[in-house]
Amino acid sequence: MPNLVEVEHALPVAPLKLVVLESAKELGEQINNYLVDFRKHTHNDFMNDPAMQGYCEESFLVNASCPRFGSGEGKGVFKESIRGKDLFILVDVTNHSLTYSINGYTNHMSPDDHYQDLKRIIAAATGKAHRINVIMPFLYEGRQHRRSARESLDCAFMLQELYKMGVDNFITFDAHDPRVANAIPINGFDNYTTPFQFIKALLKVEKDLTIDKDHLVVISPDEGALNRTIYFANVLGVNTGMFYKRRDYTKIVNGKNPIVAHEFLGDSLEGKDVIIMDDMISSGESMIDTARQLKEMKAKRVFICATFGLFTNGMKSFDEAYEKGYFEKVVTTNLNYFSPEVLEKPYYIQADMSKFMASIIDFMNHDVAMTNVHTPADKIHAILESYNRREELIMD
């Protein structure tokens, strides 16, 4: 974990507790295991202070649930005391695998259902917990972040609603548009990116990459991903390029204007490896089309990196594209739910975010500077140096 010195010289805000909703159970358990390990090996200067009560625990998980009645109505319940605790509530609004019964029918939980359960847990904790922090890796309604017609501003309203309920800090990852934080300008909003985990996961699998301007290019598949692409390319010391989507604004299909073509802006890609960077893979059609065009431009290998792999249309199109040689690997994080079949794909690589998230929680609980986890450039440079020397990648 980075810069432990600050943690070792700081008192926690309050005893730490982690509330993991059913939607993020597996990820939450991994985070809890890291937190337990961190605390066992941290030599805090105030370990004997009464304020450190509960600092080291066998588990930081809180026994809480959101049961439902036969009508489909629900409630949030804590089965243990959370008075005076520093609560971190973890939810995955994309988990469509969970179901509940309503009048004898089976309903799959939607993002709206997960968001409502989150509010139930917050409502049950308000006035009792010392502080409430929400960790929502995939930002609820993050794609509905601005108004361009007579339409709702769901994401902004969600953030305002949570802070009115008593949430102190909001933590998310690779928000579709981080400017949505302007909806709550005087409240805590942390948006973390995942470039270090991407490059670490990719380099562990691909042993023959040459990372320099002559052999590697980082590509943005559209205008929205350009900022994260430029940052990643600058840290790696390579060039960048981008596609922009040419749309037919005379039609609306599935709520959006259909893409006519992807146009490329950048230098020649002939013989170079390419990394495509984006915040999410939804259906994957746009990403596959981008990879196809890169291959037609004589790119050597194509690697797709996206923070969230939703795969809303299943994996068939990716299987077909892989067989045609459009790309070599797809890298996504474990921040959101995905079907178990994804892990079985020969082209899929998972970037584990659980240790990074545990570090965020630990630093926030001690109320120390978050720059320790906000700026991974030094860590990326260190792992690149190890890789170029062909040493075992041991950076965390």
Side-chain angles (χ1 to χ4, degrees), residues 29 57-58 64 70 91 113 121 123 152 202 232 244 253 255-256 258 300 314 326 328 338 351 390 392:
E29 290 174 348
E57 299 281 357
E58 292 302 317
V91 60
D113 290 316
I121 289 295
S152 58
L202 186 58
F232 194 46
Y244 68 90
V253 179
K256 57 186 179 181
K300 182 181 177 183
Y326 292 166
E328 273 61 41
F338 47 82
R390 295 306 187 258
E392 183 180 357

Side-chain angles (χ1 to χ4, degrees), residues 328-341:
E328 273 61 41
K329 298 292 181 184
V330 173
V331 186
T332 71
T333 70
N334 60 338
L335 290 173
N336 67 283
Y337 171 81
F338 47 82
S339 171
E341 70 166 316

Side-chain angles (χ1 to χ4, degrees), residues 17-18 22 38 74 86 94 105 109 112 125 154 173 192 203 236 246 269 285 288 335 337 352 363 375 390:
K17 284 296 181 180
L18 181 61
E22 187 67 21
F38 288 168
D86 191 17
T94 70
Y105 295 94
M109 292 187 70
D112 293 339
D154 296 41
F173 289 80
Y192 293 94
L203 296 185
L236 296 182
R246 187 150 52 88
L269 301 176
E285 294 177 1
I288 290 173
L335 290 173
Y337 171 81
D352 183 20
F363 273 77
T375 52
R390 295 306 187 258

